[in-house]
Amino acid sequence: MSLESEADLPGDVLPGVLSEELHAELVAFRRDLHMHPELGNQEFRTTAAIKERLEKAGLRPRVLATGTGLICDIGPVGDGLPMLALRADIDGLPIPDMKTECAYRSTVPDRAHACGHDVHTTVVLGAGLVLAELHERGLLPRPVRLLFQPAEEVLPGGATEAIDCGVLDGVGRIIAVHCDPRVDVGRIGLRTGAITSACDRIEVALDGPGGHTARPHLTTDLVTAAARVAVDVPAIIGRRVDSRSGLAVTWGRIESGHAPNVIPQHAELSGTVRCLDLEAWRQAPDVVHAAIDEVATLHRAKSEINYVRGVPPVVNDPVITELLRDAMAARRGTDSIEGTEQSLGGEDFSWYLEQVPGALARLGVRTPGERTVRDLHQGDFDADERAITVGVELFTAAALIDATR
């Protein structure tokens, strides 16, 4: 049995509380994923493992047409009732796992689940197993869709291809969690409205006649031009858009030249464009293009700009945010819920919210009292695995409460 006996629970507790047996199984499942991370659109082993466990529970998962990722419907499907979707992202990151003392560290060189996607996946899997059992007992009046999405880390995000595969067909609402190493396990962070930022990628190539450093006046000084683009473009943008939008260009790479006495003919910069506001994000490509061209022209450099659209902000729907609040309160009490700030991180869950209302909660994964914050996208990131039970019970409560509204 995956659930605690109803006789062991107080009368006012929602069904769907995990047994110690299922928690242990889910921890083992998560650790297996953690040891075998796969990059975006390469999650074949991960997809197979999820599919096998769902089929073992008597469910009928369907692999997406992209070849990785899957969906699985539970409950009274086909009755015309809109489904609540539970979404997880399943891909890992191209960075080494630095947890040298961890028994379940990654076995794949330069690959790690350093963003918590293995936890997200396990939470949705666990919620699916619990909800399937509740459905068998006649306790799930509305259908739920499990959505295991590939390639969240690949701009513009695997959500766009998943939507093209029809994952939102019949879905009326969608929810998700994201691990937060700043929040203690047993708690979640909620925010109505924008909870993440837009994130795009930009690549700039500068070209011009080079020459000898003794005669820079006869050349296009591309090293200086690249340096001015790096410094001046963010400053110009800060004066051309409302500062409250949080539109910011941050460079991560700049390259030019091979010798100290040669002015090169080519320079490159690449970085990210982040934005807190949806409308400003829509204007960002034109604003950034204009600023780069202006600085490059001033220094007689020819510029080529590759602006790669990423993801818009995740904007939490107030009604669905309240659903998550009520679900967490029902499981752990109102003291387990805290407000959270809008982050500058990007999340392709936002693409689903362009289609249907939904909300994302921050799932606490920090062990209470731990002083070291293991940040996301770092090789030493790990999660307190008690968060798996918290996430599963949050989702199952949300599904049951949603069915009454």
Side-chain angles (χ1 to χ4, degrees):
M1 291 288 288
S2 61
L3 309 182
E4 294 284 9
S5 168
E6 291 181 358
D8 297 333
L9 301 175
D12 59 348
V13 173
L14 285 171
V17 178
L18 266 67
S19 65
E20 293 183 3
E21 179 184 3
L22 179 57
H23 172 75
E25 180 192 348
L26 293 176
V27 167
F29 188 90
R30 179 257 169 170
R31 292 185 176 188
D32 180 71
L33 295 185
H34 199 85
M35 294 173 66
H36 302 92
E38 296 173 299
L39 299 185
N41 296 315
Q42 300 173 23
E43 312 95 332
F44 296 103
R45 183 186 185 279
T46 303
T47 297
I50 300 166
K51 182 173 181 287
E52 179 182 5
R53 184 60 184 91
L54 292 172
E55 289 177 338
K56 183 180 178 181
L59 298 171
R60 301 176 65 183
R62 293 168 283 164
V63 177
L64 303 185
T66 52
T68 61
L70 63 157
I71 60 174
C72 183
D73 297 341
I74 302 169
V77 179
D79 290 348
L81 297 171
M83 285 181 280
L84 173 69
L86 315 179
R87 176 269 199 171
D89 36 14
I90 66 175
D91 55 326
L93 284 164
I95 63 175
D97 191 332
M98 305 300 292
K99 301 188 298 298
T100 55
E101 302 300 320
C102 179
Y104 52 87
R105 69 191 299 261
S106 173
T107 61
V108 185
D110 299 320
R111 302 287 185 267
H113 268 297
C115 196
H117 293 190
D118 53 336
V119 174
H120 307 164
T121 300
T122 305
V123 164
V124 173
L125 173 66
L129 298 177
V130 172
L131 291 170
E133 188 168 332
L134 291 177
H135 174 56
E136 291 178 0
R137 292 159 53 185
L139 298 176
L140 184 64
R142 286 193 183 178
V144 173
R145 171 167 291 170
L146 313 180
L147 166 52
F148 299 91
Q149 176 215 302
E152 190 275 334
E153 298 287 353
V154 181
L155 288 179
T160 55
E161 287 190 326
I163 292 170
D164 290 341
C165 289
V167 299
L168 292 181
D169 293 350
V171 170
R173 301 155 308 285
I174 187 168
I175 56 176
V177 293
H178 198 294
C179 290
D180 192 334
R182 302 166 303 171
V183 178
D184 284 351
V185 68
R187 302 175 62 83
I188 64 168
L190 287 178
R191 179 185 178 88
T192 299
I195 191 171
T196 70
S197 300
C199 180
D200 299 335
R201 186 174 73 243
I202 187 167
E203 299 165 348
V204 181
L206 301 175
D207 290 284
H212 201 289
T213 56
R215 293 175 289 277
H217 59 291
L218 300 180
T219 72
T220 293
D221 187 351
L222 284 180
V223 173
T224 297
R228 296 319 310 179
V229 167
V231 173
D232 292 346
V233 166
I236 290 172
I237 290 171
R239 292 297 178 268
R240 294 188 179 171
V241 297
D242 190 330
S243 59
R244 291 171 296 183
S245 71
L247 181 60
V249 174
T250 304
W251 304 105
R253 183 180 70 92
I254 181 170
E255 293 185 12
S256 186
H258 301 283
N261 62 341
V262 177
I263 294 176
Q265 299 179 5
H266 184 75
E268 294 181 357
L269 304 91
S270 59
T272 60
V273 181
R274 298 182 185 271
C275 187
L276 300 174
D277 178 74
L278 185 59
E279 286 306 314
W281 175 72
R282 289 172 175 152
Q283 302 169 14
D286 291 339
V287 174
V288 174
H289 267 264
I292 293 171
D293 286 341
E294 183 176 321
V295 175
T297 299
L298 180 64
H299 293 274
R300 297 183 297 170
K302 179 183 176 182
S303 61
E304 290 188 10
I305 304 167
N306 180 28
Y307 193 107
V308 182
R309 266 307 199 190
V311 294
V314 172
V315 182
N316 281 350
D317 178 83
V319 174
I320 310 303
T321 304
E322 195 63 25
L323 171 64
L324 288 171
R325 185 180 305 277
D326 291 344
M328 191 63 177
R331 292 299 192 201
R332 306 262 166 170
T334 56
D335 289 343
S336 66
I337 305 164
E338 60 184 65
T340 189
E341 63 186 10
Q342 181 180 5
S343 81
L344 283 170
E347 213 329 324
D348 77 351
F349 184 68
S350 55
W351 290 120
Y352 300 114
L353 305 192
E354 297 274 298
Q355 308 291 324
V356 297
L360 178 143
R362 301 199 185 282
L363 179 67
V365 296
R366 181 178 63 192
T367 300
E370 185 176 10
R371 295 183 178 181
T372 302
V373 177
R374 293 180 172 85
D375 202 6
L376 301 172
H377 287 217
Q378 300 297 316
D380 65 346
F381 173 78
D382 204 356
D384 188 317
E385 292 170 323
R386 291 174 292 180
I388 295 170
T389 289
V390 177
V392 170
E393 294 184 355
L394 170 69
F395 277 167
T396 56
L400 293 171
I401 294 172
D402 181 58
T404 69
R405 297 180 173 178

